[in-house]
Amino acid sequence: MADTVNSVHLNVARGANEHPVRRFFRATEIDTRLLGMIGALMIIWISFQISTGGLFLTPRNLWNLTVQTSSVAVMATGMVLVIVTRNIDLSVGSVLGFCGMVMGVAQAQILPQYLGLGHPAIWAITLLIGLVTGAAIGALHGVIIAFLGVPSFIVTLGGLLVWRGATWFVTSGQTVAPMDTTFRLMGGGTEGSIGATASWLVALIACLAIVWALLHARRQRKRFGFPRRPIWAEYVLGGVGCALVLGFVAVANAYYWPANIARKYAEANGIAWPDGGLLISHGIAVPVLVAIAVGIVMTFISTRLRFGRYVFAIGGNPEAAELAGIKTRWVTVRIFTLMGALCAIAAAISTARLNAATNAQGELDELYTIAAAVIGGTSLAGGTGTIAGAMLGAFVMQSLQSGMVLLGIDSPLQRIVVGMVLVIAVWLDTVYRARAK
């Protein structure tokens, strides 16, 4: 008892002498690597804002930035689990292209023959076909890796070539367009957004979810006897989280429909055209909502389910995980199956956004997906990674691309910059792990 009291007094004294900044991070338990990435993102934004003459940080560009990030962000959530287990998937771009072409042919050529053009079930059946196709491809990769002992690098490198070629053979190189009207909503655009009112409703639900999550975590810590954060830290985390959500929705609602589309909408609905024009907010885009939903589900899988614990256990020490009774081979198969399904979701977003399925769809997406995961803090040595970090990494990558496009930088130079960023990210990860040891 005396030892416990003395320990408490020592901790209090140590906290009193601790630097305020370090005490703040310890109390709030904020991931400093994630915070550093946010700082790097702010530097990128400010730099491009200055160099583009104020074009970068506009509601229109930021809205488009979130939509463009969605497909890579979806795949990056799965790439985290792949890399955590010390594997790699170089085929995600080709799988995306193949699934996109299969879904394009299904909704443009096959399903209308049986259901009729514009049938309301076409988009759902198309998406289901894409998910089954992507999951089957991922499962095939996983079985070869886990049960035949072929390294994931070789299997997925072969998959990169095989599925890119298969994409061409589906239609002999022809582009398939247009897509189903309802299916196109997954791509964003004027119709593929939920509007201002629904966006504020989503923001309210998100803020309530943040508060509930903090309260639930605090109750769970008390229940199991774990140390709890100070009350002021809980308020800070809740306030910052809600402020970010409200700020994001405010920016999305500040981007209005183009004047010609708004005028057609007014004429079709008998609305008088005001002198200042009709301001209709886009609100949050549907693909962004899909990406956020995928991120939430993948975070739950990786942190709350037994499967997620097995994944990180295998990444930390594969031999120990197998000796502990974890069926490592089947876990590997499930990881790659999940990765394939996520590629199909990304393919649906990409195909709907382009309103076409093309042979070039998804090219180099494997680079951007791996880079997003690594920049987001996923260690190539395995055992470490977060879903939120990978999605933020995808946002960083897309911010770099968007800024370079606004500056008129040629595509080859853009690839050079992306490659350099990837190398630097891996180097920083190596330095961080060396210091942690």
Side-chain angles (χ1 to χ4, degrees), residues 178-234:
M179 299 295 102
D180 178 73
T181 305
T182 307
F183 184 84
R184 286 205 302 265
L185 298 180
M186 291 187 64
T190 302
E191 295 180 353
S193 305
I194 63 175
T197 303
S199 296
W200 285 122
L201 181 59
V202 169
L204 176 61
I205 295 172
C207 289
L208 292 175
I210 290 172
V211 173
W212 176 85
L214 291 172
L215 292 174
H216 178 71
R218 191 171 182 84
R219 284 196 300 267
Q220 290 295 96
R221 290 186 178 207
K222 181 180 180 180
R223 176 186 174 188
F224 293 104
F226 293 132
R228 286 166 287 171
R229 286 186 290 255
I231 293 296
W232 65 263
E234 304 283 10

Side-chain angles (χ1 to χ4, degrees), residues 69-81:
T69 305
S70 299
S71 60
V72 172
V74 167
M75 292 190 294
T77 63
M79 189 63 71
V80 170
L81 302 187

Side-chain angles (χ1 to χ4, degrees), residues 105-140:
V105 171
Q107 65 185 295
Q109 299 177 6
I110 299 176
L111 292 178
Q113 297 179 8
Y114 300 97
L115 301 178
L117 193 63
H119 192 279
I122 285 180
W123 75 272
I125 298 174
T126 298
L127 185 58
L128 179 61
I129 291 172
L131 288 171
V132 171
T133 302
I137 292 172
L140 175 62

Side-chain angles (χ1 to χ4, degrees), residues 98 101 162-174 359:
F98 182 74
M101 185 61 73
V162 169
W163 302 116
R164 182 60 61 189
T167 302
W168 189 91
F169 276 109
V170 172
T171 59
S172 298
Q174 297 179 4
N359 289 284

Side-chain angles (χ1 to χ4, degrees), residues 55-411:
L55 294 177
F56 189 84
L57 293 179
T58 58
R60 176 182 179 181
N61 188 61
L62 292 177
W63 189 89
N64 286 324
L65 187 60
T66 59
V67 174
Q68 293 162 0
T69 305
S70 299
S71 60
V72 172
V74 167
M75 292 190 294
T77 63
M79 189 63 71
V80 170
L81 302 187
V82 172
I83 296 178
V84 160
T85 53
R86 307 184 185 185
N87 289 300
I88 199 72
D89 194 341
L90 301 176
S91 67
V92 292
S94 297
V95 174
L96 183 153
F98 182 74
C99 290
M101 185 61 73
V102 169
M103 287 189 285
V105 171
Q107 65 185 295
Q109 299 177 6
I110 299 176
L111 292 178
Q113 297 179 8
Y114 300 97
L115 301 178
L117 193 63
H119 192 279
I122 285 180
W123 75 272
I125 298 174
T126 298
L127 185 58
L128 179 61
I129 291 172
L131 288 171
V132 171
T133 302
I137 292 172
L140 175 62
H141 291 172
V143 168
I144 296 173
I145 293 166
F147 290 96
L148 299 184
V150 183
S152 61
F153 181 90
I154 299 301
V155 173
T156 57
L157 178 61
L160 182 151
L161 301 173
V162 169
W163 302 116
R164 182 60 61 189
T167 302
W168 189 91
F169 276 109
V170 172
T171 59
S172 298
Q174 297 179 4
T175 296
V176 178
M179 299 295 102
D180 178 73
T181 305
T182 307
F183 184 84
R184 286 205 302 265
L185 298 180
M186 291 187 64
T190 302
E191 295 180 353
S193 305
I194 63 175
T197 303
S199 296
W200 285 122
L201 181 59
V202 169
L204 176 61
I205 295 172
C207 289
L208 292 175
I210 290 172
V211 173
W212 176 85
L214 291 172
L215 292 174
H216 178 71
R218 191 171 182 84
R219 284 196 300 267
Q220 290 295 96
R221 290 186 178 207
K222 181 180 180 180
R223 176 186 174 188
F224 293 104
F226 293 132
R228 286 166 287 171
R229 286 186 290 255
I231 293 296
W232 65 263
E234 304 283 10
Y235 280 115
V236 168
L237 291 174
V240 170
C242 291
L244 289 175
V245 170
L246 295 174
F248 168 72
V249 173
V251 171
N253 287 340
Y255 178 40
Y256 302 107
W257 288 13
N260 57 338
I261 297 179
R263 188 181 293 275
K264 291 179 181 178
Y265 176 81
E267 292 174 355
N269 292 273
I271 301 174
W273 186 259
D275 295 334
L278 191 62
L279 300 179
I280 304 175
S281 297
H282 279 81
I284 305 174
V286 172
V288 177
L289 289 175
V290 172
I292 293 173
V294 169
I296 293 172
V297 171
M298 290 297 293
T299 300
F300 179 80
I301 289 173
S302 62
T303 59
R304 299 294 181 183
L305 296 185
R306 184 183 302 173
F307 171 73
R309 292 194 293 271
Y310 286 172
V311 168
F312 282 89
I314 293 171
N317 192 325
E319 293 79 10
E322 193 161 3
L323 290 173
I326 297 175
K327 297 179 180 178
T328 56
R329 292 182 177 181
W330 283 111
V331 172
T332 300
V333 173
R334 290 169 186 168
I335 291 170
F336 279 91
T337 302
L338 181 60
M339 184 73 252
L342 291 172
C343 288
I345 295 174
I349 293 173
S350 177
T351 305
R353 184 164 166 263
L354 292 173
N355 193 24
T358 68
N359 289 284
Q361 198 171 342
E363 284 189 354
L364 292 181
D365 274 10
E366 54 276 346
L367 167 64
Y368 299 129
T369 303
I370 294 170
V374 174
I375 291 173
T378 304
S379 175
L380 290 172
T384 304
T386 62
I387 303 301
M391 297 186 76
L392 185 57
F395 202 46
V396 170
M397 294 293 297
Q398 191 58 50
S399 296
L400 283 171
Q401 284 187 281
S402 177
M404 289 187 288
V405 169
L406 288 177
L407 289 174
I409 297 176
D410 294 334
S411 179

